[in-house]
Amino acid sequence: MLYDSIGVGYTTARRTDPRWMSAILAALGGARTVLDVGAGTGSYEPTDRVVYAVEPSSEMIGQRRDGAPPVVRAVAEALPVKDSAVDAVLAVLTVHHWADWRKGIAELRRVAPRRVVLAYDTRLHTEFWFVREYVPEIAELELSRPSAPDIAGELGADTMIPLPVPWDFTDGVFPAYWRRPEAYLTVRDTCSALAQAPRHAVERGLARLRADLADGSWHERHRDLLELDEYDAGFRLILSR
């Protein structure tokens, strides 16, 4: 289980960002009961309605806050709930980790009439400066994962809403530090894209980034990014009703 190894200390780097939380709450609408699939530590679980959680990693379950919604250890491909058991199902940045993502999507459709999935466009992730300039090996990994448009099609989505990443984003997703490059020197162990890339490639890329930060060449090349308040890294909130 991937997150049993890289999930240690997850809550330190991956903290709920209120701007994404607001978008998720709006997408859930009036749903009174929610099943959070691939719930992890529960970063984006609502507190104003009844929530149940499903998570396969014992490491992640162990980091859930006191008083968090009840959680069952299970996988998305075999949800331990009845048909139409809840008003809405939520899946935040998890589909790309599922062994059989299409089977998992079918399960989301089975258990709830409203489905809210946060995923990302893998093509845009491969164009991210860190991948393009420092660890291009990550591109192969990303392109092997289901992309937001594919997930939307399988889900029969009504809407796909872009979720830009603010420059001061608090949730340490892979592109979160697009304007704070120094952070990539220390966040490797809590980022699946870096944790799953070949170790030698990551070490090489980080050494190059460290040198580019020291001599100012990164800032020179990316002067335009430093003027932006937010960046579209491909994250999409997918709604199916």
Side-chain angles (χ1 to χ4, degrees), residues 23 27 101 105 115-124 146-164 232-241:
W101 69 271
I105 292 296
R115 283 81 59 169
V116 178
V117 176
L118 176 51
Y120 61 90
D121 186 322
T122 57
R123 179 185 55 81
L124 288 181
S147 191
D150 303 321
I151 294 168
E154 195 74 18
L155 199 60
D158 307 299
T159 310
M160 191 160 61
I161 304 168
L163 287 188
D232 184 4
F235 292 103
R236 302 290 182 262
L237 193 58
I238 304 167
L239 280 65
S240 173
R241 293 170 284 236

Side-chain angles (χ1 to χ4, degrees), residues 94-228:
T94 177
V95 176
H96 59 283
H97 291 306
W98 298 352
D100 185 339
W101 69 271
R102 288 185 173 85
K103 187 174 182 181
I105 292 296
E107 282 287 88
L108 300 190
R109 300 185 67 154
R110 178 181 68 80
V111 302
R114 178 183 288 260
R115 283 81 59 169
V116 178
V117 176
L118 176 51
Y120 61 90
D121 186 322
T122 57
R123 179 185 55 81
L124 288 181
H125 263 40
T126 66
E127 296 172 2
F128 179 42
W129 62 258
F130 186 92
V131 177
R132 191 177 65 248
E133 298 172 18
Y134 297 102
V135 190
E137 289 83 354
I138 291 175
E140 183 178 355
L141 168 66
E142 294 290 15
L143 292 175
S144 72
R145 292 170 161 177
S147 191
D150 303 321
I151 294 168
E154 195 74 18
L155 199 60
D158 307 299
T159 310
M160 191 160 61
I161 304 168
L163 287 188
V165 181
W167 77 269
D168 57 350
F169 201 53
T170 59
D171 186 348
V173 293
F174 175 42
Y177 308 106
W178 58 271
R179 213 180 90 173
R180 296 170 286 170
E182 297 83 0
Y184 288 104
L185 303 177
T186 59
V187 300
R188 179 175 61 195
D189 293 337
T190 54
C191 177
S192 66
L194 292 176
Q196 291 183 279
R199 190 167 187 83
H200 73 276
V202 175
E203 295 288 355
R204 180 205 64 220
L206 292 178
R208 187 177 300 158
L209 174 59
R210 190 175 291 108
D212 286 355
L213 291 173
D215 67 14
S217 56
W218 185 93
H219 290 81
E220 181 63 28
R221 279 200 310 277
H222 298 290
R223 211 183 303 181
D224 56 330
L225 286 182
L226 300 176
E227 298 176 358
L228 301 179

Side-chain angles (χ1 to χ4, degrees), residues 30-58:
R32 294 168 297 175
T33 55
V34 178
L35 178 67
D36 187 11
V37 178
T41 62
S43 297
Y44 290 99
E45 288 171 356
T47 58
D48 61 347
R49 60 199 84 192
V50 176
V51 177
Y52 308 98
V54 170
E55 167 58 43
S57 167
S58 58

